[in-house]
Amino acid sequence: MRAKQTVGSDVSGEMANRDIKHHNHSHIKTGHITGSHNIIGHQGAIHLQMAASPVIKVVIQPGAQHISEAHKFELRELVNEIIRLEATIKKSPKRHAAVWSALTAKLKVTSYHLIPADAFERAKAYLQTWCARLRASKNAPTKDPDWRNSRYSFIHAAAAEIGRNEDIPKLLAERYSGRSLKDLSSLELENVYRIIASWKKQARQNGA
């Protein structure tokens, strides 16, 4: 006599007239492969377990060969001035991170703390040029409330640096009927600024 349920083939003897239940058994196998990895098999799925490699971070500490704290303060002040001008003049102003990133990229360092001491003047000049470029924009005189004062400061400081303070009144007399800097229009003041800047550049080229 045949069984009521067959699995794969006919069943006879003691199993006849009995229901047959088939049980699946899960098997988990764990093996090892070369390296720090484990493979676990579970019902046909294979999971590869890999140990995370340690992350090594190299930190370079600033030393005597890098800019001083006083120099860092001076650079931070210039960056803050750039940010102020950017926010005042530009429609899409740069933020602190962008300015610092531009400076460190220019000097090929990963942090301004690691600027070499002998590169401080280059860093300072780079930021000062950025400020000057912003103040030279057409809408700077009307948008920047400190624009005129910044021009006065530069004119007097640059002339003093190259020993030409006495030439400023002569320049004003020749070109602007002897009017003072404060009496000049924004355009006239900008022209005087550019003349003094050219004097300073020429003096540097001559080694003054």
Side-chain angles (χ1 to χ4, degrees), residues 79-95 131 134-135 137-147:
V79 169
N80 289 337
E81 180 63 9
I82 289 173
I83 296 305
R84 186 189 71 79
L85 290 170
E86 286 273 347
T88 302
I89 297 169
K90 292 287 195 70
K91 291 182 179 180
S92 300
K94 294 284 193 303
R95 298 184 180 276
C131 286
L134 289 170
R135 288 196 174 103
S137 61
K138 292 181 179 180
N139 56 354
T142 56
K143 287 192 171 185
D144 178 16
D146 195 44
W147 182 83

Side-chain angles (χ1 to χ4, degrees), residues 84-125:
R84 186 189 71 79
L85 290 170
E86 286 273 347
T88 302
I89 297 169
K90 292 287 195 70
K91 291 182 179 180
S92 300
K94 294 284 193 303
R95 298 184 180 276
H96 280 85
V99 178
W100 284 119
S101 179
L103 177 63
T104 54
K106 178 71 175 179
L107 298 177
K108 298 180 180 180
V109 294
T110 57
S111 168
Y112 86 101
H113 295 284
L114 301 178
I115 294 175
D118 60 3
F120 169 71
E121 289 300 331
R122 282 196 295 130
K124 181 179 176 180

